[in-house]
Amino acid sequence: MSKAEIPVGLKELLQGYAVEVLRHRPANLAEFAVQHFTSVLEKQKQNQRIKKRSKPAKKGVTFETNSNKPKKDEEEEEKEEDTVKCTTGKYNRRVSVCAEAYNPDDDEDGDSEPRVVHPKTDEQRRRLQDACKDILLFKTLEQEQFSEVLDGMFEVLVKPQEHIIDQGDDGDNFYVIEKGVYDILVLKDGVNLCVGKYNNKGSFGELALMYNTPRAATIIATEEGALWGLDRATFHRLIVKNNAKKRRMYETFIESVPLLNSLELSERMKIVDVLGARVFKDGECIITQGDKADCFYIVESGEVKILIKSKTKAGQQDNTEVEVARCSRGQYFGELALVTNKPRAASVYAVGETKCLVIDVRAFERLLGPCMDIMKRNISQYEDQLVALFGSSVDLKH
């Protein structure tokens, strides 16, 4: 019997998988292997397509062409595509985007791509900065990166009943809302259902760009409004590459958070993508009792104290605050108002300098389904907190 020969490339292939396993430490090795080797296969196919072309294609993106067109026409279109200038209209959309995930670690040439700049007046710049100041995706960007994002954004004026994005379409732009009301529609059983709305603030369109998937919903303007758009290439170069660094920074920390450690690896990584970071000074108020809840927090470093307003013997609430709990690294707060769908039940203050990760509830729901379903996976953990805050347990199942 002849000695079996080891196939060329097998050693490197298995070594690459082993390295990724040690980096990510997945709970399910088989599932992780499928994801890993599928990604490897897609990269190989992409490299083969690039080699077939006389001119290198941009990574992660290809365009459909008509195979019946003469070769000369295709070459002329290719030249036009390479020299096309950016326009400020939102209708400069891609015909088709290849369903290959953008891998920022592979994009060695990303920083050398020309910087996109849409000129703005001082007044436009001011309005844009106001619209972007609370966008979580921008919170972890360095100042220079944030300035590039602002430079690359373009204004979009919309009319009532105008479709901004349509479910099933390829992702072209990311949008930040300056003003206007926008319905979120999802097609289910042949019927468009309104599942929510944006009211003069927020952002949308990032998921299709991050994960290279079709649009998950239709967004329609219900009145005249204004948006700021960021094209796909700039979004990848600045936001997605920054998120890749953020994943490496926070993946171990996220695994230690009780609320999130029951999630699959892919779910946890998506959560990291929408994390924002905020630093609070000693004594600074993070949450005010009675306010509407739109996000929750995870303590990365430092400590917070939770206080509720006490009640008089007659049952009336006075302005005296009583400390009921504290949260430190890895613990989370602010999610109870989301679970009970009520205003904030307590106020939260920083103890010393404290850094918190912030998760916007809309982004959380869009990524992982209804927020309540995720919370219920660890429902027993909430009972003690609810007793501490409200004096009695709350049935979260209804």
Side-chain angles (χ1 to χ4, degrees):
M1 181 180 290
S2 61
K3 185 178 179 181
E5 293 185 4
I6 298 176
V8 177
L10 177 61
K11 183 179 178 181
E12 292 77 8
L13 193 66
L14 294 179
Q15 282 180 341
Y17 171 64
V19 169
E20 290 303 304
V21 168
L22 293 175
R23 283 182 60 198
H24 298 284
R25 300 186 181 278
N28 189 321
L29 289 174
E31 182 181 359
F32 186 77
V34 172
Q35 296 174 352
H36 172 76
F37 289 118
T38 299
S39 176
V40 170
L41 180 61
E42 290 298 334
K43 289 176 186 176
Q44 290 176 348
K45 290 180 179 179
Q46 182 182 4
N47 289 335
Q48 289 173 357
R49 283 194 293 270
I50 292 174
K51 289 179 181 178
K52 288 180 181 179
R53 294 185 55 165
S54 58
K55 203 169 186 178
K58 289 186 178 181
K59 296 184 179 180
V61 178
T62 61
F63 296 86
E64 282 187 347
T65 57
N66 189 338
S67 59
N68 294 324
K69 288 185 179 180
K71 184 176 181 181
K72 183 178 179 181
D73 291 344
E74 291 182 4
E75 291 174 349
E76 289 175 355
E77 287 181 3
E78 221 171 28
K79 291 178 181 178
E80 290 174 0
E81 182 182 304
D82 290 335
T83 58
V84 68
K85 301 295 182 182
C86 292
T87 62
T88 56
K90 74 172 180 133
Y91 298 105
N92 182 27
R93 302 195 174 209
R94 297 172 182 269
V95 176
S96 179
V97 178
C98 179
E100 293 174 353
Y102 170 78
N103 188 343
D105 293 328
D106 293 339
D107 192 1
E108 298 175 355
D109 301 324
D111 294 333
S112 63
E113 289 185 5
R115 179 171 173 172
V116 176
V117 177
H118 293 288
K120 301 172 184 67
T121 64
D122 290 342
E123 189 266 341
Q124 283 180 312
R125 188 86 175 184
R126 179 190 59 76
R127 289 191 287 111
L128 175 57
Q129 288 179 320
D130 286 343
C132 292
K133 65 181 180 182
D134 294 321
I135 303 301
L136 289 178
L137 275 177
F138 299 158
K139 291 291 185 182
T140 56
L141 294 177
E142 297 176 0
Q143 186 57 47
E144 183 179 350
Q145 292 173 315
F146 184 56
S147 293
E148 280 197 55
V149 167
L150 297 183
D151 287 342
M153 299 191 83
F154 53 89
E155 188 172 21
V156 181
L157 302 179
V158 299
K159 299 178 180 179
Q161 301 307 309
E162 185 172 347
H163 286 227
I164 314 303
I165 62 177
D166 287 294
Q167 184 174 347
D169 281 0
D170 292 322
D172 50 4
N173 301 317
F174 167 67
Y175 294 99
V176 172
I177 298 170
E178 180 184 336
K179 64 179 180 180
V181 178
Y182 305 84
D183 283 341
I184 308 169
L185 304 177
V186 174
L187 185 64
K188 189 173 183 180
D189 298 327
V191 179
N192 271 318
L193 301 177
C194 184
V195 297
K197 65 175 55 185
Y198 296 98
N199 192 346
N200 287 288
K201 66 176 181 178
S203 61
F204 57 87
E206 75 279 12
L207 300 185
L209 305 186
M210 283 181 172
Y211 309 115
N212 221 46
T213 55
R215 296 294 195 187
T218 296
I219 307 293
I220 300 178
T222 63
E223 58 184 44
E224 286 190 357
L227 303 165
W228 291 94
L230 185 67
D231 70 90
R232 183 187 185 91
T234 305
F235 185 91
H236 277 169
R237 185 168 59 86
L238 296 174
I239 307 300
V240 178
K241 290 190 74 171
N242 181 69
N243 274 3
K245 296 177 183 177
K246 192 166 62 170
R247 283 186 176 199
R248 291 191 286 270
M249 184 187 305
Y250 288 126
E251 61 184 354
T252 302
F253 174 71
I254 288 297
E255 289 178 0
S256 69
V257 177
L259 172 64
L260 305 177
N261 63 13
S262 66
L263 302 179
E264 297 292 337
L265 173 64
S266 60
E267 291 179 319
R268 286 200 299 270
M269 290 303 96
K270 288 180 179 179
I271 285 295
V272 173
D273 287 340
V274 297
L275 284 177
R278 289 190 61 187
V279 177
F280 299 94
K281 297 178 181 178
D282 182 36
E284 186 174 352
C285 184
I286 303 172
I287 287 177
T288 302
Q289 185 172 342
D291 283 357
K292 183 180 178 181
D294 58 0
C295 63
F296 65 97
Y297 301 81
I298 302 171
V299 181
E300 183 183 355
S301 62
E303 188 179 27
V304 301
K305 57 183 179 181
I306 301 173
L307 293 86
I308 59 173
K309 293 180 179 179
S310 61
K311 293 184 179 181
T312 64
K313 293 182 179 180
Q316 298 296 318
Q317 185 171 282
D318 62 26
N319 291 322
T320 304
E321 292 185 321
V322 178
E323 183 176 330
V324 295
R326 291 203 175 200
C327 294
S328 55
R329 177 178 169 82
Q331 295 181 304
Y332 45 92
F333 61 92
E335 84 288 356
L336 296 176
L338 305 179
V339 173
T340 59
N341 198 28
K342 294 178 180 179
R344 298 292 192 188
S347 295
V348 181
Y349 299 88
V351 179
E353 184 172 280
T354 301
K355 184 177 182 181
C356 292
L357 304 181
V358 189
I359 302 180
D360 177 81
V361 66
R362 285 192 181 275
F364 191 84
E365 289 177 340
R366 281 184 290 136
L367 281 172
L368 302 176
C371 194
M372 182 71 77
D373 292 343
I374 300 298
M375 300 292 188
K376 285 179 180 178
R377 294 185 188 181
N378 297 315
I379 194 168
S380 61
Q381 298 180 22
Y382 295 95
E383 299 299 336
D384 292 341
Q385 295 183 30
L386 287 167
V387 170
L389 289 175
F390 301 117
S392 60
S393 181
V394 174
D395 185 2
L396 300 181
K397 298 178 183 178
H398 299 287

